[in-house]
Amino acid sequence: MNIVQLFISLGFSQLLIAAKLSKPADAEMSNPLFGNNYWIVESSTIHPALDLDMDGKPDTDVLILQEPCDRDDADLFRADGVILTDWGNIRCDEEEEGITETGTWKFNPQKQILTIKKDHSRKLMEAKLIQKTSNQLTFTAHHKSSKSEHVITLKLKRKL
């Protein structure tokens, strides 16, 4: 998985065989970065533009790679380092039910770096927190393509 896919996997479903989970008691714990909130991808851009969908035209919107059924998926970053994904109301397949554990995370507050390991990927993904409000988190990461260095910006919004 490359860094472009980092921002897709932060807030989107993965094709997993998932067991339905009830909300664990320790999910009530809060953490200073995410709180006890689910987060949905609001936008993800790449600059300079890169042909992400292989149609021959440079793209700036990373979300063009997102399936419509993934748009309501949301992640909860539990204080114990576990990521729970709420698959939303629009299902991509029958296995997406309820809330499932989909990976682990950690945050380095000194460097403002979020590190994520999703169950479907062998690689760690890293992004730098550049802005935080009570309803929005903005991260950046760098990607080197054969043509250029790119900056990917991901905005997460708190699910209400």
Side-chain angles (χ1 to χ4, degrees):
M1 174 172 286
N2 64 36
I3 199 70
V4 171
Q5 293 167 321
L6 158 67
F7 291 104
I8 296 166
S9 67
L10 278 173
F12 302 111
S13 66
Q14 296 73 41
L15 297 176
L16 302 172
I17 298 175
K20 188 173 184 174
L21 300 176
S22 60
K23 189 174 184 180
D26 57 354
E28 296 298 327
M29 297 184 296
S30 66
N31 64 71
L33 179 59
F34 295 103
N36 189 32
N37 301 299
Y38 278 89
W39 297 88
I40 297 174
V41 174
E42 182 174 38
S43 67
S44 185
T45 58
I46 185 167
H47 295 283
L50 182 65
D51 185 8
L52 300 173
D53 59 1
M54 308 306 265
D55 66 355
K57 299 178 215 164
D59 303 297
T60 57
D61 182 4
V62 177
L63 298 184
I64 64 168
L65 301 174
Q66 179 187 25
E67 295 293 328
C69 57
D70 292 327
R71 293 188 181 140
D72 65 345
D73 296 354
D75 287 334
L76 172 74
F77 296 81
R78 285 192 340 208
D80 66 353
V82 172
I83 300 170
L84 296 180
T85 298
D86 179 341
W87 300 106
N89 293 325
I90 304 168
R91 306 282 191 225
C92 293
D93 59 50
E94 293 176 9
E95 295 168 350
E96 289 185 349
E97 291 188 25
I99 298 169
T100 59
E101 288 187 19
T102 56
T104 58
W105 72 281
K106 65 181 178 177
F107 183 71
N108 180 324
Q110 289 77 32
K111 295 182 179 181
Q112 297 290 290
I113 299 293
L114 173 66
T115 304
I116 291 178
K117 170 69 175 87
K118 285 290 202 164
D119 292 344
H120 73 282
S121 175
R122 287 177 274 153
K123 295 183 180 181
L124 291 177
M125 300 170 284
E126 290 188 344
K128 182 173 181 67
L129 177 67
I130 61 168
Q131 184 176 20
K132 178 185 177 189
T133 68
S134 62
N135 292 316
Q136 188 179 68
L137 300 171
T138 305
F139 295 92
T140 60
H142 295 272
H143 171 69
K144 185 174 182 171
S145 72
S146 61
K147 297 181 181 186
S148 184
E149 290 277 338
H150 305 270
V151 175
I152 301 170
T153 303
L154 172 76
K155 290 186 180 182
L156 300 177
K157 67 178 178 180
R158 186 169 57 92
K159 183 178 177 182
L160 303 175

